[in-house]
Amino acid sequence: MKLVLATSNKGKLREITELCNEYEVVPYTDLIEAFEIIEDADTFKENALIKARAVYQALDNENVIVLADDSGISVEVLNGAPGVYSARYGGTNATDKDNLYKLIDALKAKGVKSSPAYYTAAIAIVSKNAERTVHGWMHGDVIDEARGEGGFGYDPMFVPAGYKQTVAELSSKIKKNLSHRSQALGLAKKILKTL
Amino acid sequence: MKLVLATSNKGKLREITELCNEYEVVPYTDLIEAFEIIEDADTFKENALIKARAVYQALDNENVIVLADDSGISVEVLNGAPGVYSARYGGTNATDKDNLYKLIDALKAKGVKSSPAYYTAAIAIVSKNAERTVHGWMHGDVIDEARGEGGFGYDPMFVPAGYKQTVAELSSKIKKNLSHRSQALGLAKKILKTL
């Protein structure tokens, strides 16, 4: 079955392709030209649906299944920020590093070295017959420095509960066992089998 | 092994006793008179430690292991409130119902019928040789009405991710599989085996 991903984010593409290796995973930009999708909802779930629906409609092919991931990090001392704004926390065209250092600065401005935080991943699946969403979460702490080279996004400053290392310092095998995205994809795969 | 619980909350006592049926579980109030413990920390983890340490010291017996649970609910549209104030959201001597209806009123005041939310349970274990903490989480939505008779706390207004019913409407078996407290106790039991 061909699974079209409604993303051009390289980190997400890599992780989802790895975690869904029983499917033929194709970024939508391999099939049609990239286009802008306005993700202006208040929740990860609605933003994931916006992306999956937009790509499904643009593809105009009843035989594809589109999968979209919307994810982000919520920090307790920042009352849940950056949340759904995680990908553009450092500005409209912010890089991972821009976002990461803005969050480190925000912790420092609060006068804390760390804070409880959690990642959310919402995955939407849109096909001819179905629109479904699932979620996964990973809890831990954000710290006021970046450590490690693995992962992407806020991984270098995120220490999962029960660990001392950041996600960027842990092996990709451990990240696969722990991550919000892995958990959500595990549920998504159960849905894919029923479509 | 005797496990002394640093709580007199009947809902917690019932759930922890059920989930730890391989241990002799005793509320601390069976051993000494109940006393006030000021839980004034900013995190569930620190509050659980405060309770477990206070009871361990009061018991003055090197052969006991004390286990404390601090838990609560964090609501997205309320920027994480009530959080560590969950047990006293409706006032110092608030009942479960006082807290629940205050949270329903807070959702209504925000003009929403539901919001993403999550429960956190922090469990602290204090013994002669060790102080350890573990966590568990359960995500879902809070809704603007109370439904069902099971569980306790905010369970009648909490719908776990992937379900339509509130925790208070689900069977206690399903709650055991899902709950923040079950997950944290699963990790706590691994620690208990090493003490």
Side-chain angles (χ1 to χ4, degrees):
Chain A
M1 183 158 44
K2 188 179 279 186
L3 207 55
V4 179
L5 299 191
T7 186
S8 51
N9 177 303
K10 286 204 173 63
K12 285 186 191 177
L13 281 175
R14 191 181 63 238
E15 287 191 6
I16 297 172
T17 305
E18 252 186 72
L19 291 162
C20 292
N21 55 15
E22 61 271 58
Y23 296 99
E24 185 195 345
V25 177
V26 183
Y28 85 100
T29 48
D30 278 9
L31 303 175
I32 51 175
E33 211 171 320
F35 62 98
E36 198 192 4
I37 304 171
I38 311 290
E39 307 165 30
D40 57 356
D42 293 334
T43 61
F44 298 108
K45 174 180 163 172
E46 288 302 322
N47 279 332
L49 273 172
I50 286 171
K51 286 187 273 195
R53 285 176 188 147
V55 168
Y56 183 80
Q57 283 165 14
L59 289 171
D60 196 22
N61 175 349
E62 286 194 349
N63 297 314
V64 300
I65 295 176
V66 177
L67 188 146
D69 164 296
D70 197 59
S71 45
I73 195 164
S74 303
V75 178
E76 194 169 293
V77 296
L78 304 175
N79 297 327
V84 292
Y85 302 104
S86 294
R88 49 200 149 121
Y89 188 46
T92 312
N93 294 307
T95 63
D96 274 10
K97 274 204 172 159
D98 295 337
N99 291 325
L100 179 77
Y101 284 101
K102 177 153 182 198
L103 188 52
I104 288 175
D105 286 345
L107 288 181
K108 287 181 175 167
K110 276 274 169 188
V112 298
K113 295 192 72 63
S114 71
S115 167
Y118 63 99
Y119 270 119
T120 303
I123 288 180
I125 297 169
V126 172
S127 73
K128 186 185 167 191
N129 303 312
E131 280 198 354
R132 299 285 293 275
T133 55
V134 288
H135 288 82
W137 293 274
M138 173 168 58
H139 283 263
D141 289 290
V142 284
I143 57 173
D144 67 347
E145 57 174 342
R147 296 192 327 229
E149 303 298 327
F152 66 100
Y154 297 90
D155 288 351
M157 66 185 295
F158 187 85
V159 178
Y163 288 81
K164 301 278 184 207
Q165 302 98 319
T166 67
V167 175
E169 291 174 317
L170 292 167
S171 70
S172 65
K173 193 178 162 192
I174 292 178
K175 183 176 181 184
K176 261 189 224 174
N177 280 330
L178 292 177
S179 91
H180 51 306
R181 187 163 295 110
S182 303
Q183 289 172 48
L185 279 173
L187 297 169
K189 285 189 207 179
K190 290 186 185 176
I191 291 172
L192 289 174
K193 279 181 191 153
T194 70
L195 294 183
Chain B
M1 182 158 43
K2 189 180 278 187
L3 208 55
V4 179
L5 299 191
T7 186
S8 50
N9 177 303
K10 287 202 172 66
K12 285 186 191 177
L13 280 175
R14 190 182 63 237
E15 287 192 6
I16 297 172
T17 305
E18 252 186 71
L19 289 163
C20 292
N21 54 16
E22 62 270 60
Y23 295 98
E24 185 194 345
V25 177
V26 183
Y28 85 100
T29 47
D30 277 9
L31 303 174
I32 52 175
E33 211 171 321
F35 62 98
E36 198 192 5
I37 305 171
I38 311 289
E39 307 165 29
D40 56 357
D42 294 333
T43 60
F44 297 109
K45 174 180 164 172
E46 287 302 322
N47 279 332
L49 273 172
I50 286 171
K51 287 188 272 195
R53 284 176 188 146
V55 167
Y56 183 81
Q57 281 165 15
L59 289 170
D60 196 23
N61 175 350
E62 287 194 350
N63 297 315
V64 300
I65 296 176
V66 176
L67 188 147
D69 164 296
D70 197 59
S71 46
I73 195 163
S74 302
V75 178
E76 196 170 290
V77 297
L78 304 175
N79 298 326
V84 292
Y85 303 103
S86 294
R88 49 200 148 118
Y89 188 46
T92 311
N93 294 308
T95 63
D96 274 8
K97 275 204 171 159
D98 295 337
N99 290 325
L100 179 76
Y101 284 100
K102 177 153 181 196
L103 187 52
I104 287 176
D105 286 346
L107 288 182
K108 287 180 174 167
K110 277 273 168 187
V112 297
K113 295 192 72 63
S114 72
S115 167
Y118 62 99
Y119 270 119
T120 303
I123 287 180
I125 296 168
V126 172
S127 73
K128 186 184 166 192
N129 303 312
E131 280 197 352
R132 298 286 292 278
T133 54
V134 288
H135 288 83
W137 294 273
M138 173 168 55
H139 284 263
D141 289 290
V142 283
I143 56 173
D144 67 346
E145 57 174 342
R147 298 192 326 229
E149 303 298 327
F152 66 100
Y154 297 90
D155 288 351
M157 65 183 296
F158 186 84
V159 178
Y163 289 81
K164 302 277 183 206
Q165 304 98 318
T166 68
V167 175
E169 291 175 317
L170 292 167
S171 69
S172 65
K173 193 179 164 193
I174 292 179
K175 183 176 182 184
K176 261 189 223 174
N177 280 331
L178 292 177
S179 92
H180 52 305
R181 188 164 294 110
S182 302
Q183 289 171 49
L185 278 173
L187 296 169
K189 284 189 206 178
K190 290 185 186 177
I191 292 172
L192 289 174
K193 280 181 187 151
T194 69
L195 295 183

